[in-house]
Amino acid sequence: MNKQISFKEAVTILILMLVMLGWGVIGFGLSPQIPVLTVIALLIFWLQIRGFEWEEVMKGISQGISTAIVPIFIFLLIGTLIAVWIQAGIIPSLMVLGFHMISSHFFVPSVFLVCSLVGLAIGSGFTTVSTVGIALFGMGSTLGINPALTAGAIISGAVFGDKMSPLSDSTNLASAVTEADLFDHIKNMMWSTIPAFIGSLLFFFFLGQSNKATSLAGIAAVESSLRQNFSVSFWAALPIILMFACAWKKVPAIQTLFANIFLSVAMIFVQNPGFKMQKLATLIESGYVSNSGNKTVDALLTRGGISSMMGTVSLIIMTLALGGILMHLGIIDSAMKPLVERLKKPGWLILTTIMAGIGINLFVGEQYLSVILPANAFKPAYKRIGLDPLALSRALEDGGSVINYLIPWGVAGSFVASALGVPVLDFLPFTMFSLLSPVFSILSGFTGIGLKWKQEKAA
């Protein structure tokens, strides 16, 4: 039996995979782990019929998962960091700072800035939208501002914060699947993210001015609850300064995270000398549970811990196992070879990567898969022309995770539409950050500005 997989056969497999993944995620509303596991099982069954040795299948799985060992460890440290940052008052302090930026006369741009800061602090666009975002949306309604415009500002800020936060699942995922350093990845994203942020801020500034006044009582209540239940002070800046200093000095992510965790734990014991070691162990394992009595605060700050990362870890293991099989047995290579051979210039390669991420968002509606599948497909092409993995990781974010919020049937898009009560197609034109990020990323590819090459290329 001929074990060489042809172009048509490989394309058929990949299309069927996308259909099954989309059917499971969109059609049945399942979490992506179940469809991915089903696809792996069917793929293994087909490979056995096709005559491939079981050892070769297992080798592909092992090779795929082996690339995730360090990133998985980083994910566990991120879960720990979130929990201790909340307990030490770092995240609550950042939230209070953000609330002081709210202006009734420049409401829409201030909403964008606050959601950016809160998203950066907690590393979750979903949580930012469903808590602070809902409160700000209600304030916008009292001002008579277009609900779609307010929603666009909320989502744009939440996506920016999620994208640039070292606590974000999607940011860690993009660096993991490309084997790029987390903090190098965040710094490199600034080439497309900062212009998109400035463009969005200008957009909201010109469209979102208001001469009306509104009550800030809701925000004041949240701030009061944060001050009563957490240590809110300027000392909260210490771990953030440490993180930026480590990134500037190019300290590896694991060392940076450990240093930050130790500093945050020390702050916890300084603030509360009676804090028990058993309580610290529970905090690290299960995360922080907020019982402030304020629903918004409790929803925002009940999170973190190692256990909170296990769902993402399981998805990474399964998708990288799937990717390992597809790569090792030549399925992706056979399907992508005709296209990849024509992509000899970085601009067209980055454009194609971003369009692939947008396409998977449209077909599958799942932001993690819109990052993982193009990563497996295009990684050899980036390596062949000498681009650094950071170039790929940035393109994956700009065409993958940020776009999912603009897809009506996407996981993120349907979630925020339900949370804010505004249809995706209504707020889509106003979600400027998600619209501008891929544009600036593509411009970087064609102009070479901010494009990261391998060291040997630059030498």
Side-chain angles (χ1 to χ4, degrees):
M1 181 180 291
N2 180 20
K3 295 183 182 180
Q4 184 67 36
I5 296 175
S6 66
F7 170 75
K8 290 183 178 180
E9 191 175 13
V11 170
T12 301
I13 292 169
L14 294 177
I15 290 175
L16 288 174
M17 278 178 45
L18 288 176
V19 170
M20 284 188 283
L21 291 171
W23 193 19
V25 173
I26 302 172
F28 289 99
L30 303 175
S31 63
Q33 284 92 335
I34 305 304
V36 170
L37 194 61
T38 303
V39 166
I40 292 174
L42 294 174
L43 180 60
I44 290 174
F45 180 69
W46 174 81
L47 290 170
Q48 293 289 284
I49 294 176
R50 197 64 171 68
F52 285 89
E53 298 293 333
W54 177 244
E55 289 74 15
E56 288 299 306
V57 176
M58 288 302 297
K59 190 174 181 180
I61 293 175
S62 299
Q63 288 179 351
I65 294 176
S66 65
T67 63
I69 300 303
V70 171
I72 285 174
F73 190 62
I74 290 175
F75 267 90
L76 301 181
L77 292 179
I78 291 293
T80 301
L81 186 66
I82 292 171
V84 297
W85 265 24
I86 296 173
Q87 181 71 56
I90 289 94
I91 290 177
S93 296
L94 285 173
M95 291 173 62
V96 169
L97 175 63
F99 294 147
H100 279 275
M101 299 165 63
I102 286 290
S103 165
S104 59
H105 295 295
F106 298 97
F107 181 75
V108 175
S110 64
V111 163
F112 172 61
L113 291 172
V114 168
C115 289
S116 296
L117 186 58
V118 172
L120 195 62
I122 66 177
S124 171
F126 280 27
T127 307
T128 302
V129 170
S130 61
T131 52
V132 173
I134 291 176
L136 295 174
F137 185 80
M139 292 169 62
S141 298
T142 65
L143 283 171
I145 295 173
N146 181 356
L149 176 59
T150 305
I154 292 168
I155 297 163
S156 291
V159 173
F160 166 81
D162 193 327
K163 182 182 179 184
M164 296 302 290
S165 174
L167 308 180
S168 166
D169 288 357
S170 59
T171 302
N172 278 271
L173 179 64
S175 63
V177 295
T178 57
E179 301 174 61
D181 178 80
L182 171 62
F183 293 103
D184 286 344
H185 167 60
I186 292 173
K187 286 199 297 183
N188 189 59
M189 282 198 296
M190 290 183 182
W191 288 101
S192 60
T193 302
I194 297 304
F197 179 87
I198 294 172
S200 300
L201 183 59
L202 292 173
F203 175 83
F204 293 127
F205 179 81
F206 286 113
L207 286 188
Q209 296 185 45
S210 173
N211 294 319
K212 301 178 183 178
T214 185
S215 171
L216 300 179
I219 293 298
V222 172
E223 180 180 342
S224 175
S225 180
L226 289 172
R227 291 186 180 276
Q228 290 173 13
N229 291 277
F230 299 94
S231 177
V232 176
S233 72
F234 66 90
W235 292 110
L238 287 177
I240 299 168
I241 293 171
L242 175 62
M243 184 167 288
F244 277 111
C246 290
W248 183 262
K249 292 291 184 180
K250 296 186 177 180
V251 178
I254 290 177
Q255 296 177 32
T256 298
L257 292 170
F258 266 127
N260 224 291
I261 290 168
F262 288 141
L263 175 58
S264 301
V265 169
M267 291 176 65
I268 291 172
F269 282 106
V270 169
Q271 294 163 6
N272 186 2
F275 199 79
K276 302 293 185 182
M277 288 299 297
Q278 293 87 344
K279 190 173 181 180
L280 177 64
T282 302
L283 177 72
I284 291 172
E285 181 181 352
S286 303
Y288 185 88
V289 178
S290 177
N291 294 303
S292 68
N294 185 294
K295 291 182 180 180
T296 299
V297 171
D298 293 343
L300 265 174
L301 298 183
T302 298
R303 57 195 315 265
I306 292 173
S307 60
S308 70
M309 291 293 176
M310 298 315 296
T312 304
V313 167
S314 67
L315 179 61
I316 290 175
I317 290 174
M318 286 188 284
T319 51
L320 289 181
L322 175 60
I325 296 172
L326 296 173
M327 292 292 293
H328 182 67
L329 299 180
I331 297 172
I332 285 181
D333 186 57
S334 296
M336 300 302 299
K337 192 173 182 180
L339 175 61
V340 170
E341 286 178 347
R342 291 175 170 81
L343 296 174
K344 297 179 180 179
K345 293 184 178 180
W348 289 106
L349 179 56
I350 288 171
L351 173 62
T352 306
T353 305
I354 290 174
M355 294 308 296
I358 294 173
I360 291 171
N361 269 312
L362 287 168
F363 280 113
V364 181
E366 214 292 313
Q367 60 179 335
Y368 289 164
L369 295 179
S370 71
V371 170
I372 293 169
L373 295 180
N376 289 326
F378 291 101
K379 196 182 296 183
Y382 280 76
K383 185 177 181 181
R384 179 171 55 82
I385 69 172
L387 283 172
D388 193 277
L390 292 170
L392 173 58
S393 63
R394 187 178 71 190
L396 294 173
E397 288 253 43
D398 289 333
S401 54
V402 305
I403 298 297
N404 197 258
Y405 289 81
L406 307 181
I407 309 300
W409 51 89
V411 174
S414 58
F415 171 81
V416 297
S418 175
L420 298 177
V422 180
V424 174
L425 295 181
D426 285 1
F427 65 67
L428 188 154
F430 301 106
T431 312
M432 290 307 298
F433 183 79
S434 292
L435 294 172
L436 290 176
S437 289
V439 173
F440 284 109
S441 196
I442 292 168
L443 287 174
S444 173
F446 281 103
T447 63
I449 299 173
L451 192 60
K452 191 74 172 177
W453 295 89
K454 288 184 179 177
Q455 291 300 315
E456 55 265 30
K457 175 82 176 182

